[in-house]
Amino acid sequence: MPRLYRLDQEKFGSLPVVDLTLRDGGPFPQSADVFLYARCSVVAAGQAVWESVFFDITKFTRYTSTEYDGEWLLYVPDRAYELATGEAWDRPTRYCFESYSNRDGWPYLRS
């Protein structure tokens, strides 16, 4: 199961953005994009980091920071294919990387 999809879980997505607060001082929730880019940052940090967040979800928190933006990781496969073949990679994927697509990770979203 792809790493981004596996990280798409409520326990990570419900963590607040670490360096932002609401006007009343409350926790600032992650948007769907912030959550996706945080998951990308965890994957980009390497296997040891990726594995560690499953044992200690607080290790995921640092990647919600505005200092991290793993969006670039989303474009690596497409760009690599294009550089290698000269063609755009129009491919279906088995697992969606978009936030909230892992129904097992978000039990209340199950149909």
Side-chain angles (χ1 to χ4, degrees):
M1 180 180 305
R3 295 177 188 276
L4 289 178
Y5 184 82
R6 180 96 191 323
L7 287 169
D8 184 19
Q9 297 183 33
E10 184 176 14
K11 67 182 179 182
F12 302 124
S14 61
L15 294 169
V17 176
V18 72
D19 51 359
L20 294 176
T21 57
L22 297 173
R23 288 183 186 198
D24 66 3
F28 195 93
Q30 294 181 74
S31 67
D33 285 344
V34 167
F35 181 44
L36 173 58
Y37 304 155
R39 289 185 289 133
C40 288
S41 294
V42 169
V43 170
Q47 183 163 340
V49 170
W50 183 82
E51 290 175 353
S52 73
V53 301
F54 291 100
F55 297 103
D56 181 359
I57 65 167
T58 62
K59 291 183 178 185
F60 186 94
T61 303
R62 73 182 285 197
Y63 296 97
T64 68
S65 168
T66 56
E67 291 181 33
Y68 292 93
D69 182 1
E71 179 183 13
W72 60 269
L73 185 65
L74 298 172
Y75 309 107
V76 171
D78 296 332
R79 185 68 179 134
Y81 184 86
E82 185 178 331
L83 287 171
T85 67
E87 299 176 12
W89 188 11
D90 183 25
R91 86 284 184 220
T93 58
R94 183 173 179 185
Y95 297 100
C96 180
F97 60 75
E98 294 295 344
S99 297
Y100 322 116
S101 62
N102 179 358
R103 297 294 184 202
D104 291 332
W106 298 85
Y108 74 92
L109 293 178
R110 288 186 194 156
S111 304

